[in-house]
Amino acid sequence: SFFLPAVLDRKVTFIAKAEYFTTPGVKGRLTAAFFKGVGQLPVDRSGARGAGEAAIKAGIEVIEGGGLFGIYPEGTRSPDGRLYRGKPGGLARVALATGAPVIPVAMIDTEKIQPPGKVVPKLMRPGIRIGKPLDFSRYQGMDGDRFILRSVTDEVMYEIMKLSGQEYVDIYATAAKRQLAEAEKAAKEAVKAEIAAREESGA
């Protein structure tokens, strides 16, 4: 969300968790100033459903005010640089509620610039590819239909895949992260069991 505004003339508003804006102290004020400066909008994310509704409302307000609203349809960073399934809520609902076109954007090499878990990013420029606007006016007023929301989201993800050249994985990134964490935990437990077995056999 920090790279895209650098290549556009217009401000792009993204959502960010409210804690970034309310942390006390000097560090908290600097963090809040930074996030405001790069076009982040605070959203209270307490409670999954409440967070989703707040994000959708914020997006609609930004667009109806004439602004650009940026949203990551995967909902979280990719754990391995592949493109994961988009979540059918926010992006599609904002587009159908406002009638605004969706502009697919592919961010290239962000996982190399700041790999998951790393605090300090590498100094390199990401690639940014901007696709043609997608018109979903044919679905106007159907934002309560989950099949339409899924269809809109999948169409956007397909365009992002074409722009990025990424391998597409038809599961949610959150599920992939959970699987990776479970596999890592199982591997650690296997190593501990192996060490314990060797110590026992050597005793």
Side-chain angles (χ1 to χ4, degrees), residues 35-142:
F35 277 97
K36 285 176 188 171
V38 295
Q40 303 280 312
L41 189 69
V43 171
D44 183 1
R45 303 195 327 175
S46 57
R49 184 163 180 78
E53 292 302 321
I56 290 163
K57 184 180 176 189
I60 291 170
E61 288 175 1
V62 168
I63 291 172
E64 288 180 344
L68 293 177
F69 180 63
I71 188 168
Y72 290 93
E74 290 174 281
T76 186
R77 291 186 65 193
S78 169
D80 55 14
R82 297 185 295 173
L83 184 66
Y84 285 83
R85 192 176 201 207
K87 295 194 171 182
L91 175 142
R93 285 183 57 196
V94 171
L96 298 186
T98 61
V102 175
I103 302 170
V105 177
M107 308 290 286
I108 315 295
D109 291 336
T110 55
E111 77 283 357
K112 294 177 184 172
I113 294 169
Q114 189 168 11
K118 299 289 182 184
V119 177
V120 181
K122 292 179 184 175
L123 291 176
M124 62 182 284
R125 181 180 295 214
I128 298 176
R129 293 188 187 133
I130 301 173
K132 294 178 182 176
L134 303 173
D135 178 15
F136 294 108
S137 59
R138 63 193 183 276
Y139 298 131
Q140 199 73 34
M142 302 173 75

Side-chain angles (χ1 to χ4, degrees), residues 21 23 25 45 76 79 90 111 120 122 141 164 174-175 185 195 201 203:
F21 298 83
T23 305
R45 303 195 327 175
T76 186
E111 77 283 357
V120 181
K122 292 179 184 175
S164 69
T174 48
K185 183 180 176 185
I195 291 169
S201 64

